[in-house]
Amino acid sequence: MKSKTLHYMTLAGVLIVPMTSVSAESKPKLVLQITVDALRGDLLERYKANFGDGGFRYLMDDGTYYTNAYFQHGNTETIVGHVSLATGAPPSVHGMVGNVWYDRNKERLVYNVEDGNYSMLTSGAGVNKSTEIDPTQKVATEDGRSPDPILATTFSDELAISSNGESKIFSVSVKDRGAISLGGHSGKAFWFSKAESEFVTSNYYYDEYPQWVTTWNEKKLPNQYSGKRWELSLPPEKYTLKEGNTDYKVDLAGFKRTFPHPYGPASYKYYSTMLTLSPAGDELTENFASTLLKKENLGKGKFTDYLAVSFSANDYVIHMYGPTSLEAEDNLIRLDKTITKLLKNVDEHVGLENTLIVLSADHGAPEAPAVVNALGAQQPALFDQKKLISPQLLTRLKTEFGLGEDAIRLYAQPYIYLNHDVIKKKGASLEEVQKTVAKELLKIKGIAYAVTSSDIDKNQVPKTHTMQLVKNNYHPLRSGDVYVVYEPRNFINDMDGLTIASTHGSPWRYDTYVPIIFAGYNIDDQKVSREVTPYDIAPTLSSILGITQPSGATGKILTEVFDN
């Protein structure tokens, strides 16, 4: 921070000092929060050799880089991680226990940010269930989206309060849940509609689009990839990895298992989906975010503004091809160029010295089982969801409680939800039924733990690291009756019928491990190896700006960020 000369005057022997404020005169003009979906903590170092100077390498070398950061909740899914970044709290506080959960009042599964009180500004911009490959989005029965399901305030909410609404707050992502979470209850969020191939929002945020958004969409920039292919950006010998067996990779609708990956014509029904499965999705996100930066004149007002950009392609690429793949490496090489472009635009418009940048991720990712097994390991395996409700379990429920299969309502990662009404009518103890289900689950190969909500409520779970993560994921109104933890590198690899290469969602270290980097405004270059958590980001940002921490924040202030 640049020093300022204070002018003092005395009156009747009293020293009068001008009052400070949280305006941008003494604070960063802009906070830029970058989230890379599924960026496991080691991947930046793994692929750094092919990065340029202005993107990841600038952040890693010129910023305060935390190399040992882990989430402290068990269900490492997109919405859980994004809201934890925004609130500085675990799902037991902010309520987002998974991408979907069973709502006992509505008696159905709900998608995390769906909200029937609002509608999309663009007609038809909701989920096209005939082409949507994300099964969690297909759960939603309503097109409306809002942050109302988030049960705690976010850093951006507190920033809005501190400036009495004068701070400009925006969030952009391909994923609706990626944008809505970081934008909070007080900001504006935009996300990419695969149904309409444009960036959209709901009437929670606007009655009508700003003109610049309409203009951006009218340019049809996604069509620039029509008839083109995602090809390797470097000669094959430059890559860290060599192409091996590709049988485990996904060929979705002709996108192929190996390079080059054809987008097809813009008229192809899966065209927009192909864009999101590749670097193109991040490039479009950056273009929209940089346009927003300039058109909304961020960083030019009296108070600190906020822009969150969540890049989603890495997550989709890892699902399709795994983190140890040419696709994953090339995608991060291209994302490095995209982030370089974003930072260049920020530097030209606001100045990096005036911009506080923080980069992290919502979760990590496991290696594809086929890749690990090829190295001689026997541990990784794919779990068949049908095994959860075994004949032995049904027999015990019938024999011990007089219950049928209807006592088990459904499984939604990571929970089994029981039918409380059916159990109550039979006069059975819900706690005992939960324990019976858990005991039978533990007999199934591939399941490490089965934890009942009754035991969590009564604090009767072992005092281990993994159990603490399971507890941190528990919310009494949204969590299920039994939390299922699979053995390390075991997972259900089904994505709406697709046998995918990799998926996240466990409490194991590879899924909770992410980077944290602060850079730009007044930040020293240093590498910090002590263990921290992404929950620390929101309290640290709040402390730098001198504002109230988010309502449920449990994270600590990262003191190294203040070394300068």
Side-chain angles (χ1 to χ4, degrees):
M1 182 184 297
K2 294 180 179 178
S3 61
K4 298 182 66 177
T5 301
L6 297 181
H7 300 283
Y8 301 95
M9 59 184 295
T10 57
L11 180 63
V14 179
L15 181 66
I16 307 298
V17 183
M19 292 183 64
T20 60
S21 71
V22 296
S23 73
E25 293 178 4
S26 57
K27 305 294 178 183
K29 296 179 183 297
L30 176 69
V31 172
L32 173 64
Q33 184 158 6
I34 300 173
T35 304
V36 181
D37 206 315
L39 185 64
R40 198 176 65 206
D42 63 304
L43 295 181
L44 289 180
E45 295 289 351
R46 186 176 190 178
Y47 300 133
K48 183 179 180 180
N50 284 317
F51 295 156
D53 293 330
F56 287 131
R57 191 182 292 272
Y58 158 71
L59 298 172
M60 297 164 73
D61 293 347
D62 287 19
T64 295
Y65 179 16
Y66 292 88
T67 61
N68 198 21
Y70 296 88
F71 280 106
Q72 301 298 317
H73 55 257
N75 188 23
T76 43
E77 291 188 314
T78 298
I79 189 62
V80 189
H82 273 79
V83 177
S84 295
L85 287 169
T87 62
S92 59
V93 176
H94 60 62
M96 309 304 271
V97 299
N99 281 342
V100 300
W101 61 82
Y102 183 78
D103 188 314
R104 297 192 183 276
N105 292 323
K106 296 180 178 179
E107 296 186 331
R108 68 173 178 85
L109 278 178
V110 297
Y111 176 64
N112 51 85
V113 290
E114 72 169 289
D115 192 336
N117 295 316
Y118 303 95
S119 59
M120 304 296 290
L121 285 190
T122 301
S123 177
V127 175
N128 182 346
K129 294 189 177 183
S130 67
T131 57
E132 180 57 61
I133 64 168
D134 183 342
T136 66
Q137 288 196 326
K138 294 173 75 170
V139 163
T141 62
E142 300 158 329
D143 281 344
R145 299 287 185 269
S146 89
D148 277 357
I150 301 173
L151 304 180
T153 66
T154 65
F155 163 75
S156 57
D157 291 331
E158 299 300 337
L159 179 61
I161 293 170
S162 73
S163 66
N164 198 27
E166 291 195 43
S167 290
K168 297 175 183 178
I169 297 168
F170 290 93
S171 185
V172 180
S173 178
V174 157
K175 296 182 180 180
D176 51 9
R177 56 190 183 266
I180 290 170
S181 51
L182 291 164
H185 303 85
S186 305
K188 308 289 189 185
F190 295 96
W191 55 93
F192 186 72
S193 165
K194 285 175 274 190
E196 292 297 315
S197 199
E198 61 184 39
F199 277 90
V200 299
T201 192
S202 78
N203 63 4
Y204 174 91
Y205 302 100
Y206 292 97
D207 293 326
E208 60 183 17
Y209 286 113
Q211 183 55 51
W212 70 263
V213 176
T214 301
T215 300
W216 194 95
N217 283 327
E218 286 176 345
K219 292 179 180 178
K220 302 294 182 184
L221 293 182
N223 289 355
Q224 67 185 290
Y225 301 94
S226 180
K228 297 181 180 179
R229 306 182 301 182
W230 173 19
E231 303 193 50
L232 287 173
S233 54
L234 299 174
E237 64 273 12
K238 294 287 188 180
Y239 288 82
T240 304
L241 301 168
K242 304 300 180 185
E243 188 77 278
N245 175 32
T246 62
D247 291 345
Y248 70 92
K249 296 182 179 181
V250 179
D251 180 1
L252 173 66
F255 203 49
K256 299 181 63 178
R257 289 188 174 90
T258 59
F259 283 100
H261 299 280
Y263 294 117
S267 58
Y268 183 37
K269 69 175 184 177
Y270 285 105
Y271 175 75
S272 293
T273 298
M274 303 307 189
L275 299 183
T276 64
L277 301 180
S278 75
D282 289 341
E283 291 164 6
L284 291 169
T285 301
E286 183 280 323
N287 188 291
F288 187 88
S290 289
T291 302
L292 185 159
L293 173 79
K294 297 169 185 175
K295 295 297 183 180
E296 294 290 346
N297 214 23
L298 300 188
K300 301 294 187 179
K302 179 181 178 182
F303 293 88
T304 301
D305 294 331
Y306 175 81
L307 174 61
V309 185
S310 179
F311 293 109
S312 304
N314 187 62
D315 179 70
Y316 288 130
V317 168
I318 287 176
H319 279 305
M320 296 295 111
Y321 310 108
T324 301
S325 65
L326 282 176
E327 286 84 2
E329 182 171 6
D330 191 69
N331 178 68
L332 285 181
I333 292 169
R334 290 179 181 269
L335 178 57
D336 176 60
K337 294 182 174 67
T338 297
I339 290 177
T340 298
K341 188 174 181 181
L342 174 64
L343 295 181
K344 182 175 183 293
N345 286 325
V346 169
D347 192 27
E348 291 175 351
H349 186 72
V350 185
L352 291 182
E353 73 278 7
N354 300 316
T355 304
L356 176 60
I357 306 162
V358 59
L359 178 143
S360 191
D362 55 345
H363 54 74
E367 296 296 335
V371 171
V372 181
N373 285 338
L375 300 176
Q378 298 299 316
Q379 185 186 44
L382 304 177
F383 189 87
D384 183 357
Q385 183 175 323
K386 295 177 182 178
K387 292 181 179 179
L388 291 173
I389 313 302
S390 66
Q392 292 80 4
L393 170 58
L394 296 178
T395 297
R396 284 197 64 179
L397 291 178
K398 182 67 175 178
T399 302
E400 297 180 21
F401 306 103
L403 295 169
E405 191 170 355
D406 60 346
I408 302 174
R409 195 178 288 278
L410 54 84
Y411 171 76
Q413 164 69 21
Y415 295 108
I416 287 180
Y417 289 84
L418 301 178
N419 191 322
H420 293 186
D421 292 337
V422 167
I423 294 170
K424 184 177 181 181
K425 286 179 181 178
K426 284 290 184 178
S429 163
L430 177 61
E431 181 176 353
E432 290 304 314
V433 174
Q434 289 175 350
K435 289 183 177 180
T436 296
V437 173
K439 288 177 181 178
E440 286 300 317
L441 287 171
L442 288 174
K443 297 177 182 179
I444 302 172
K445 183 179 180 180
I447 293 179
Y449 304 103
V451 187
T452 70
S453 61
S454 295
D455 281 346
I456 295 174
D457 274 331
K458 295 180 178 180
N459 200 28
Q460 293 179 342
V461 298
K463 296 185 183 301
T464 65
H465 175 74
T466 303
M467 288 301 101
Q468 186 60 53
L469 270 60
V470 170
K471 286 172 60 178
N472 288 347
N473 215 92
Y474 176 71
H475 190 280
L477 299 180
R478 294 177 177 176
S479 294
D481 294 274
V482 182
Y483 190 114
V484 182
V485 179
Y486 300 99
E487 294 281 358
R489 304 194 187 284
N490 284 250
F491 53 81
I492 298 171
N493 75 330
D494 176 74
M495 181 181 281
D496 200 31
L498 288 174
T499 301
I500 54 179
S502 174
T503 194
H504 48 88
S506 81
W508 305 119
R509 291 295 242 192
Y510 51 76
D511 273 348
T512 60
Y513 182 31
V514 298
I516 297 175
I517 307 176
F518 286 81
Y521 174 83
N522 202 37
I523 303 297
D524 277 347
D525 58 310
Q526 57 184 321
K527 187 175 286 188
V528 183
S529 61
R530 72 180 179 93
E531 185 167 337
V532 298
T533 172
Y535 305 156
D536 299 335
I537 292 174
T540 301
L541 290 174
S542 299
S543 183
I544 292 172
L545 268 65
I547 65 176
T548 303
Q549 293 187 15
S551 60
T554 62
K556 309 298 182 183
I557 294 171
L558 297 169
T559 56
E560 294 87 355
V561 175
F562 295 85
D563 279 354
N564 197 28

